[in-house]
């Protein structure tokens, strides 16, 4: 359950477990029905002027869902798209760009919470950005984005990762696999108060 009485966040990063055939065959994680994303109280979690960055598979249906349904429901104005280009250690694409099934890149759709429906201003540049990196050997592990957003966030920005697979300093992590990539020897078990 996502707490709905928290102070709103200036940056929310999401990597939902989108439905796809590859995931179903491999059973690496459970998929989500895209309409379950409406159950997340987005409007209450995002600070005015805050950003939401959503990793989206290359399925046009999911991109359209984010732009035309989820963003309007959460009061977000689309700002830009960034792309993560996955390369080998020698700088080659991990997959052929023309591959009919899988692509060597993933899309990050970024929106901004607006106080006015017509306010589309943003300090985040609207130009598209490409992030090149060698993907982790762990399935679906994304590049760290905080350094790219820091110039556009307040000094003590509150940051939330939904569908998190690791806990990072200064972030609130929520998800069924929030500790998946953390080394448990560095964690302390605490009793609930």
């Amino acid at each position: 359950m996502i707490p709905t009485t928290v102070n709103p966040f200036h940056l929310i990063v999401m990597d939902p477990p989108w439905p796809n055939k590859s995931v179903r065959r491999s059973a690496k994680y459970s998929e989500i029905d895209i309409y379950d994303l409406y159950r997340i109280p987005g409007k209450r979690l995002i600070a005015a002027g805050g950003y939401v960055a959503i990793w989206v598979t290359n399925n046009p249906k999911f991109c359209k869902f984010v732009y035309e349904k989820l963003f309007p429901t959460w009061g977000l104005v689309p700002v830009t798209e960034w792309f993560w280009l996955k390369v080998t250690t020698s700088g080659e694409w991990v997959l052929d760009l023309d591959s009919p099934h899988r692509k060597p890149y993933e899309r990050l759709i970024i929106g901004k919470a607006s106080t006015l429906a017509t306010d589309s201003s943003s300090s985040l540049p609207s130009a598209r950005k490409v992030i090149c990196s060698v993907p982790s050997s762990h399935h679906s592990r994304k590049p760290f984005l905080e350094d790219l957003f820091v110039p556009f966030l307040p000094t003590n920005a509150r940051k939330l990762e939904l569908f998190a697979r690791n806990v990072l300093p200064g972030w609130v992590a929520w998800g069924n696999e929030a500790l998946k990539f953390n080394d448990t020897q560095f964690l302390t078990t605490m009793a609930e108060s």
Side-chain angles (χ1 to χ4, degrees):
M1 180 77 145
I2 300 173
T4 57
T5 58
V6 298
N7 290 328
F9 296 90
H10 301 97
L11 175 61
I12 298 174
V13 175
M14 292 175 52
D15 185 13
W18 300 104
N20 73 59
K21 291 177 189 173
S22 173
V23 169
R24 259 178 256 131
R25 280 192 301 267
S26 69
K28 289 187 192 285
Y29 56 82
S30 299
E31 300 172 341
I32 189 171
D33 181 302
I34 62 173
Y35 293 97
D36 283 343
L37 294 174
Y38 286 130
R39 296 173 58 196
I40 298 171
K43 274 189 176 179
R44 287 184 286 185
L45 292 174
I46 306 162
Y51 295 100
V52 174
I54 303 177
W55 288 104
V56 182
T57 66
N58 291 307
N59 183 330
K61 172 185 168 182
F62 300 144
C63 294
K64 184 176 181 178
F65 172 80
V66 169
Y67 278 116
E68 296 180 10
K69 297 186 180 205
L70 193 62
F71 273 13
T73 300
W74 286 6
L76 299 172
V77 176
V79 175
T80 190
E81 288 184 356
W82 292 352
F83 294 87
W84 172 32
L85 179 60
K86 302 173 190 181
V87 296
T88 65
T89 54
S90 59
E92 302 291 322
W93 294 337
V94 295
L95 295 166
D96 184 12
L97 191 58
D98 297 326
S99 170
H101 302 291
R102 295 180 62 205
K103 301 294 180 191
Y105 59 87
E106 290 189 43
R107 182 183 319 255
L108 184 70
I109 300 175
I110 302 170
K112 182 177 181 181
S114 177
T115 53
L116 302 172
T118 57
D119 177 17
S120 61
S121 63
S122 172
S123 56
L124 183 70
S126 61
R128 290 183 170 182
K129 186 180 293 264
V130 176
I131 305 159
C132 293
S133 73
V134 176
S136 169
S137 60
H138 299 289
H139 177 75
S140 196
R141 190 161 189 189
K142 303 297 191 279
F144 188 58
L145 298 172
E146 183 172 22
D147 292 345
L148 299 172
F149 278 98
V150 163
F152 312 106
L153 298 174
T155 305
N156 294 316
R158 292 183 38 79
K159 299 167 295 244
L160 169 67
E161 184 173 1
L162 295 173
F163 306 101
R165 291 184 188 94
N166 60 314
V167 178
L168 298 168
W171 286 74
V172 173
W174 177 89
N176 293 341
E177 300 179 310
L179 298 176
K180 182 173 184 156
F181 298 129
N182 287 101
D183 189 331
T184 56
Q185 72 177 333
F186 298 110
L187 301 174
T188 303
T189 302
M190 298 176 66
E192 287 189 39
S193 50

